[in-house]
DNA sequence: CTGAAAGCGCTTACAG
DNA sequence: CTGAAAGCGCTTACAG
C-alpha cells in the first residue's frame, strides 16, 4: 500500500459514504451530524487504508499552506538554535510545519518569495539585515510577517526581548562586586540588540553614579570579540571588568585577555549576554545572562497564528531573565 | 496589487494569450514554439502583474512539492549547522526549498508524515535514532529518503564521511609527536560514527605497533566528554594523549583535564574530530580534524534529486579531510 | 504557432 | 443525517 496514493475516493468507496463525509470527519467539522457507527466506519477505513490528506489539494482549496517560515542569518549561531526550538514546538502545537531557512539558501529575497508562491502562511524574520526593496516586497505580501529580536524604525511588527534589563543585570552584578571602571564590548554598529544592551549598560552605570568605561563595538563572533577586546585593553585606563554584549564575542574576548597576560577573573572580570551549554566549560566558566530565546520563537509563531494582516505588534517579551554566576567574575584585585 | 492573488487568468487577459501559453513560457517549456514578440508580451505581463505561480496548484497537478526535508536531532549541535548549510545551498540550486526540522517539532514520526501528505519529495535523515516502526513507515513512502552520516544494518540508503580516515589522521599525528600511550574518548555506544572512528583509532595504533590505550564512551556533548575524561584519567596507566571522537566532547574533556590539574598539552595532548570556529578560541586552541560536512549535506540533496525510488546508495563521501594543528597537541613531556 | 479541455484531490455551501 | 456539485490554480496532451 503506497501511502501517498490513497485519496478520499478510495476511503469513500470502502466506508460507503460520500467523500465529503470523510473530509468532514477527518477535519473534525463540528457542524457535522453523523451517526456514531458511521463515524466509526469512516475512521476504520481511514486507518485501514493509511489515508493522509493531500496537502497540495487542501492548500489549493483553502488557500492556507499550514506552514510558517523562519528566516535566520546563520545556523552556526547557537542563539538561533534556541529560537528555532521554541518556534518549532509552537508550530507543531498548531499542526503547522516550520520551515527555517538561512542566507545560505536562496537568501532573504528568495525566502520572501515563498510568501508570493503561497507556500507559507506567515514569516518570522530573526536578525535579518535590512536590504533595499525587501520591506517593500514584504508590504505587498498577503500574509503576516514579524521581526524577531530586532526592531526597525519603519516597521511596527516586532517582538523583542528586554535586552536593556539583561544588560542592567550584568552591570549591576559587576558593580555589586566592587568594580568602578567597567568597560563594554558592544555589539555591531547598527544592530538593534546592541543598541538596547548598550543603553542598559549606560543606564546601570549612571544609576550607580559611575561614568561609562571604554566602549568598543564587536561583531557577535569570537573573532569580532577578540579584536574588540584587544582594542579595549589598549585604553590608557583599562577597566577591571567588561560587560560583553554577546557570548560568542566573549569567547574571543577571553582569548584576547589571556593573550594580553591577564588572568580572568583575578585581573579582569567578564560577563556576557546569552547562556550556552558551553559557557560552563570555558576556562574559566563564563558568567552569563540567560534570555528566554525559546520563548521568543514560541511567541513569534503564536502571533503569526493569530495576527490580522494589517495588525501591528510592538512587543517586549516578558520572560525570565537571569544572571548565571560562574567563575569569570570576582571582586576587583586592587579594589 | 496583492501579489498572492494574481493568477494565470489575469496574466492571460493582459497578454491576450491563453493561460496555457503563460504557463509554458514561465516554465521554459522547450517544446513551445512561440513568436519572440508574443513571449515578450507574456513576460511583460508577468512582470507588470507580479505573477507568481501558486505552489499548491502546481503541486496538485504535477505531484511534486519542490521541497526536500532534512531531519536532525538538535539545532544546538553545530555539526548539523554545517550540514544544513550545504544542503540548503544544493536545494536552492535546484529551485527546491529545504525544510529542516528537529525533534523539538513534531518529532521524527511527525516528520516522516510529511512524506505521506505529499509535502516533500524526499527526506534526509541525519543522525536520527532508530525508533521501532519508523523504518517500516519509511518503506511505505513513495519518495526517496537517505540516511546522512549514519548507516543502519538494515538500510541500503546512506551517505557517510570517511570517519575512519579522520581518526587515523588524528592518531598518526599523536604518534608522530612521540606519544605511545594514546587514549580514546569514543562516541556514544551504538552510534555509527563512533564505531567507525574507533575502528580508525585501533587501526592506526596497530599500524604504529602500539597497543590500544584506555577507551571510554562519551556522548557528543561537553557534559558527556567531561564525565568520560574523568573516568579515563582514573586509569592506572593514564595516557599522554587522547583522541576524542567529537569536538563538543573535547570541550568538556579539556575542562576535566584542567580540573584534574593537568596542563594541556604539556601533560596531556588532545585532538578531536570536527573543526569549529570556536576551536581556535579555546584554552588552549584545540587541534582538530576537519570533515567536509557541508559537502555531505550538498551530496545528500543532490542524491535526493536524482535517485530512483527503489535505488540503493551506499556511499562514503570522497572529500577533503584535514588535520588542523593548534596548540592542544605537543610531544609528550617525559618522552 | 495558439487555444480548449480535462483533471490533480480536496473543502464547503447547498440540496434533500 | 448524507450526497451532488462546484471550484481552488495550475499543467499537459491534444486539436486545429
Amino acid at each position: 500500500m503506497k501511502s501517498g496514493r490513497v485519496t478520499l475516493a478510495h476511503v469513500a468507496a470502502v466506508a460507503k459514504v460520500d467523500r465529503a463525509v470523510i473530509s468532514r470527519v477527518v477535519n473534525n467539522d463540528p457542524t457535522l451530524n453523523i451517526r456514531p457507527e458511521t463515524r466509526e466506519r469512516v475512521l476504520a477505513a481511514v486507518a485501514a487504508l493509511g489515508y493522509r490528506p493531500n496537502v497540495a489539494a487542501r492548500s489549493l482549496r483553502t488557500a492556507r499552506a499550514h506552514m510558517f517560515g523562519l528566516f535566520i542569518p546563520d545556523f552556526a549561531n547557537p542563539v538561533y538554535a534556541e529560537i528555532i526550538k521554541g518556534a518549532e514546538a509552537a508550530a507543531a502545537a498548531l499542526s503547522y510545519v516550520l520551515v527555517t531557512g538561512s542566507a545560505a539558501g536562496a537568501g532573504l529575497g528568495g525566502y520572501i518569495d515563498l510568501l508570493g508562491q503561497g507556500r507559507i502562511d506567515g514569516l518570522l524574520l530573526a536578525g535579518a539585515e535590512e536590504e533595499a526593496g525587501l520591506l517593500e516586497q514584504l508590504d505587498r505580501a498577503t500574509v503576516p510577517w514579524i521581526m524577531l529580536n530586532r526592531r526597525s524604525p519603519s516597521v511596527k511588527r516586532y517582538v523583542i526581548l528586554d535586552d536593556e534589563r539583561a544588560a542592567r543585570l550584568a552591570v549591576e552584578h559587576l558593580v555589586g562586586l566592587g568594580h568602578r571602571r567597567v568597560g563594554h564590548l558592544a555589539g555591531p554598529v547598527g544592530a538593534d540588540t546592541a543598541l538596547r544592551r548598550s543603553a542598559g549598560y549606560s543606564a546601570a552605570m549612571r544609576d550607580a553614579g559611575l561614568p561609562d568605561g571604554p566602549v568598543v563595538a564587536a561583531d557577535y563572533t569570537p573573532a569580532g570579540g577578540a579584536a574588540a577586546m584587544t582594542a579595549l585593553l589598549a585604553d590608557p585606563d583599562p577597566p577591571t571588568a567588561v560587560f560583553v554584549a554577546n557570548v560568542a564575542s566573549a569567547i574571543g574576548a577571553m582569548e584576547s585577555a589571556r593573550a594580553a597576560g591577564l588572568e580572568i577573573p583575578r585581573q579582569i572580570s567578564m560577563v556576557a549576554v546569552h547562556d550556552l551549554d558551553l559557557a560552563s566549560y570555558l576556562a574559566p566558566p563564563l558568567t552569563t545572562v540567560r534570555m528566554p530565546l525559546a520563548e521568543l520563537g514560541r511567541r513569534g509563531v503564536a502571533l503569526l497564528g493569530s495576527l490580522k494582516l494589517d495588525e501591528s505588534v510592538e512587543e517586549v517579551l516578558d520572560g525570565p531573565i537571569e544572571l548565571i554566576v560562574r567563575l569569570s567574575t570576582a571582586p576587583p584585585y586592587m579594589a
Side-chain angles (χ1 to χ4, degrees), chain A:
Chain A
M1 180 77 47
K2 298 292 188 174
S3 60
R5 324 250 60 213
V6 180
T7 74
L8 274 187
H10 298 114
V11 185
V14 169
K16 312 228 181 291
V17 294
D18 190 82
R19 294 178 307 157
V21 177
I22 315 284
S23 172
R24 295 166 75 191
V25 167
V26 166
N27 293 310
N28 284 312
D29 180 349
T31 71
L32 172 66
N33 278 359
I34 189 174
R35 260 187 307 228
E37 59 263 39
T38 311
R39 183 189 296 274
E40 282 316 314
R41 215 167 61 234
V42 167
L43 260 16
V46 164
L49 297 175
Y51 171 70
R52 307 268 49 222
N54 178 292
V55 164
R58 182 203 298 234
S59 292
L60 178 58
R61 181 59 227 240
T62 62
R64 314 234 88 222
H66 285 269
M67 195 146 93
F68 287 135
L70 166 59
F71 184 83
I72 63 169
D74 186 4
F75 281 102
N77 185 334
V79 166
Y80 294 114
E82 188 85 25
I83 293 178
I84 295 172
K85 209 170 280 194
E88 265 198 320
L94 296 171
S95 296
Y96 263 66
V97 174
L98 183 74
V99 32
T100 308
S102 81
L108 181 51
Y111 219 73
I112 294 176
D113 196 41
L114 298 182
L115 295 174
Q117 300 170 208
R119 244 195 228 277
I120 56 182
D121 298 330
L123 179 59
L124 256 23
L125 296 168
E129 292 308 310
E130 215 160 309
E131 288 170 44
L134 288 181
L135 284 181
E136 202 177 285
Q137 203 180 336
L138 282 167
D139 274 336
R140 267 180 300 158
T142 54
V143 299
W145 56 274
I146 299 170
M147 287 196 169
L148 227 52
N149 207 23
R150 153 184 237 300
R151 296 169 309 182
S152 173
S154 51
V155 177
K156 298 280 170 283
R157 297 164 159 282
Y158 61 80
V159 29
I160 57 177
L161 295 175
D162 196 345
D163 293 285
E164 191 163 333
R165 183 147 66 88
R168 294 185 85 111
L169 222 53
V171 174
E172 284 163 8
H173 169 61
L174 296 172
V175 170
L177 287 169
H179 293 277
R180 304 192 56 75
R181 179 88 180 139
V182 177
H184 176 36
L185 249 50
V189 178
D192 184 51
T193 50
L195 251 43
R196 302 198 310 271
R197 287 170 204 168
S198 292
Y201 159 79
S202 291
M205 291 299 278
R206 193 172 51 245
D207 288 356
L210 297 170
D212 279 11
V215 176
V216 180
D219 277 353
Y220 289 159
T221 59
M229 186 67 174
T230 300
L232 187 136
L233 290 175
D235 193 276
D237 180 14
T240 62
V242 181
F243 163 55
V244 187
N246 175 277
V247 62
S249 305
I251 290 170
M254 287 173 80
E255 166 63 14
S256 284
R258 276 191 300 265
L262 293 176
E263 204 177 305
I264 307 169
R266 205 174 60 88
Q267 292 164 291
I268 190 156
S269 283
M270 299 190 48
V271 51
V273 171
H274 290 318
D275 191 52
L276 299 181
D277 252 23
L278 182 66
S280 322
Y281 295 97
L282 296 172
L286 182 67
T287 296
T288 61
V289 179
R290 176 158 176 75
M291 307 273 280
L293 290 165
E295 186 56 34
L296 183 67
R298 218 174 283 128
R299 180 65 182 149
V301 166
L303 282 169
L304 242 31
S306 63
L307 212 62
K308 306 270 179 312
L309 186 52
D310 45 5
E311 202 173 342
S312 67
V313 221
E314 298 179 81
E315 181 169 320
V316 180
L317 196 81
D318 183 31
I321 295 181
E322 54 181 324
L323 182 77
I324 299 177
V325 179
R326 299 202 178 86
L327 303 179
S328 66
T329 48
Y333 183 48
M334 16 191 14

